Amino acid sequence: MSSESVGGILGAIVAAIVLAVAVMFGPIGQYGKAPKPAKVEPAPATAPAAPATPAPRGPVIREVPNQ
């Protein structure tokens, strides 16, 4: 046997092993995979009965009595 025929036989054996492993682990690509679950968004919070008063903005300046 020449080295070319030995290489061809070993290449065929390696290719068969790779093909068998690929078949064992499932199809390649998107085929056969379960679809991703849909993202469930939480229900929006209900609005309070009375709207809250807005907070004062900026620094609060108070008069201090002189003593």
Side-chain angles (χ1 to χ4, degrees):
M1 287 179 117
S2 67
S3 61
E4 291 178 1
S5 63
V6 172
I9 293 171
L10 290 178
I13 292 172
V14 170
I17 291 172
V18 169
L19 183 61
V21 170
V23 170
M24 279 182 13
F25 284 110
I28 299 171
Q30 294 296 321
Y31 299 109
K33 293 185 180 179
K36 293 182 180 179
K39 187 176 182 182
V40 178
E41 296 181 12
T46 58
T53 57
R57 297 183 180 207
V60 176
I61 301 173
R62 296 185 180 164
E63 302 245 350
V64 179
N66 291 333
Q67 294 181 352

